[in-house]
Amino acid sequence: MDRKDGSNHKETSEIWKQNEKQTDQEKSTAFGNMLERSLNATYLSMGLTLGGELGLFDRILEQDSLTCQELAEKSQTKQCFVNEWLGLMVSSGIIDCIPDSDPERYFIADYKKSSLQGQYSWLAWAKELSGYFKTYDTVSQCFKLSGPRGVDRNQLDAFYDFYENMDKESADKWSEMKSTFAQIPGLIQNFENGIEALDVGCGGGNIFISLALQFPKSTFYGVEISEKALQVARKNAENCGVKNIKFIVADATNLPKEWTGKFKYVHTSHVHHDSSRPRKVTSEIFRVLASKGSLSIFENGTNGRHGDKSSDPNYLMGYFISTFACVPNATYDEKAEEPLGVYVSKRTIIKMMEDCGFSASVVGGEDKSIESPVHNHGSTILHYHGLKN
Ligand SMILES: C[S@@+](CC[C@H](N)C(=O)[O-])C[C@H]1O[C@@H](n2cnc3c(N)ncnc32)[C@H](O)[C@@H]1O
């Protein structure tokens, strides 16, 4: 299920709604009920994660129906464990039983299937949770003054190795992206004439592959610290048949020396809040930009205050990821700067850009058109433009 429209977040917000007309006693009961539902949801999530990881859902989806024993055999698991897991899934309404079957036969109703299959299904997101379970203890230790600085990126693979696979059809999205790039004066004309452009922390490369398809006279570069991300990016470029793009493993805090003044345009999306040295990354970008070159940063831009997000579950997932992945990842490096956190404030980003020498402004907001589905948590993405005068 694609979460681009954010509709599911709106549904979730109902859980938190308070009724001002209630007495304190009623509010207290409703609050307790909400906590109970939240805990139940956590128990269920752990079961979803397990079933996703062990392929239990896949085995059920392959059949019209099957018994516990058949499921255990097909998934190479122990029946006594699978039996309890099935109880958890049936009692939470995820898996269905054929009435009066003996032994009981289990199935998944057709209308539930799309949420449990595919790269961006809810089950895929639930599977990602297993990574958080594995690092839970370390993150908990990191909170303590006497604890470790952060968590090694390699331990956070479940979160970071979630890059979008593309083919030519899905890469053809210039009509959706055009208005975003038009926010930078002259940029589209430059792409048409032919420039060198760099995507810092490009992940699976989706945005620049789309640009490379559209602008054959320009040369696009993507740098990534993660070799695994670039494997996806190179495969995506191959699938799309683009030749004017190069992917290079590099640390954005130390870009190649020979790149000074090379690029007319640098793009970076959702990298600063993940980076251990966001200010150093910004100053490196300043160095590799040509004079009059432009930088786009796509990042959150809140006012930095929690109170304004009170009882707003749109921010819940982002803060969860930031607590368990972004900040622990960003603080691991011994040279780490103060981490930004996922809902970094607009003022912080603008100041960081200005400190690095840019004329900085916000040129667009809340534009989802160039978002990968991975990043649709929260609703405060801004387009920051930095000009190297
Ligand atoms: C949240 S992902 C965003 C990926 C992509 N830009 C997008 O919007 O889909 C952040 C990416 O930044 C990369 N990254 C973080 N620090 C980096 C650094 N110092 N140098 C290069 N890449 C870095 C991570 O490996 C990760 O792939």
Side-chain angles (χ1 to χ4, degrees), residues 168-179:
K168 201 161 184 176
E169 201 183 328
S170 57
D172 182 15
K173 49 183 180 186
W174 174 243
S175 57
E176 291 166 50
M177 295 160 64
K178 188 173 177 180
S179 60

Side-chain angles (χ1 to χ4, degrees), residues 209-229:
I209 290 173
S210 296
L211 289 179
L213 267 176
Q214 183 67 27
F215 299 106
K217 286 191 189 163
S218 285
T219 306
F220 296 89
Y221 293 73
V223 291
E224 246 303 330
I225 204 158
S226 159
E227 176 61 47
K228 280 189 194 163

Side-chain angles (χ1 to χ4, degrees), residues 288-306:
V288 302
L289 265 174
S291 171
K292 305 284 176 211
S294 277
L295 161 66
S296 287
I297 296 181
F298 293 89
E299 261 298 350
N300 279 297
T302 69
N303 63 8
R305 295 175 62 81
H306 290 156

Side-chain angles (χ1 to χ4, degrees), residues 153 160 163 201-203 206 224-226 250-253 269-271 274-275 372 375:
R153 155 74 188 253
Y160 286 104
Y163 298 108
C202 62
N206 55 331
E224 246 303 330
I225 204 158
S226 159
D251 182 346
T253 64
S269 146
H270 301 279
V271 174
D274 259 336
S275 170
S372 63
H375 297 118

Side-chain angles (χ1 to χ4, degrees), residues 27-214:
K27 280 185 196 166
S28 169
T29 306
F31 182 66
N33 289 344
M34 181 274 282
L35 287 181
E36 184 189 4
R37 279 198 303 275
S38 299
L39 281 172
N40 277 340
T42 307
Y43 308 144
L44 168 58
S45 298
M46 290 183 77
L48 288 172
T49 304
L50 194 72
E53 261 209 316
L54 295 173
L56 299 176
F57 285 108
D58 290 340
R59 300 295 80 75
I60 300 174
L61 288 162
E62 283 163 7
Q63 310 291 321
D64 289 339
S65 70
L66 78 188
T67 64
C68 176
Q69 186 183 348
E70 287 164 350
L71 176 57
E73 281 167 10
K74 285 182 190 303
S75 56
Q76 303 275 296
T77 50
K78 297 185 187 118
Q79 192 177 337
C80 59
F81 283 84
V82 173
N83 187 59
E84 301 312 295
W85 178 81
L86 279 168
L88 173 61
M89 289 299 113
V90 173
S91 58
S92 36
I94 305 294
I95 289 177
D96 307 280
C97 279
I98 297 183
D100 303 326
S101 51
D102 188 16
E104 285 187 294
R105 297 193 71 80
Y106 302 87
F107 70 102
I108 292 172
D110 283 347
Y111 71 91
K112 296 176 181 170
K113 288 182 178 167
S114 64
S115 298
L116 297 168
Q117 287 171 313
Q119 195 187 3
Y120 295 115
S121 69
W122 286 110
L123 185 63
W125 286 88
K127 271 203 264 188
E128 195 192 335
L129 274 178
S130 68
Y132 294 106
F133 299 148
K134 283 170 198 150
T135 50
Y136 176 88
D137 278 346
T138 321
V139 171
S140 152
Q141 290 303 319
C142 288
F143 271 71
K144 298 178 186 164
L145 286 176
S146 57
R149 276 193 314 271
V151 181
D152 182 2
R153 155 74 188 253
N154 294 328
Q155 287 181 261
L156 294 164
D157 273 358
F159 171 63
Y160 286 104
D161 293 346
F162 207 72
Y163 298 108
E164 191 174 6
N165 295 318
M166 295 175 87
D167 55 23
K168 201 161 184 176
E169 201 183 328
S170 57
D172 182 15
K173 49 183 180 186
W174 174 243
S175 57
E176 291 166 50
M177 295 160 64
K178 188 173 177 180
S179 60
T180 302
F181 289 98
Q183 286 160 349
I184 298 190
L187 181 61
I188 294 178
Q189 191 59 54
N190 282 339
F191 282 152
E192 269 160 11
N193 294 344
I195 55 167
E196 292 191 301
L198 173 68
D199 188 5
V200 171
C202 62
N206 55 331
I207 294 161
F208 262 33
I209 290 173
S210 296
L211 289 179
L213 267 176
Q214 183 67 27

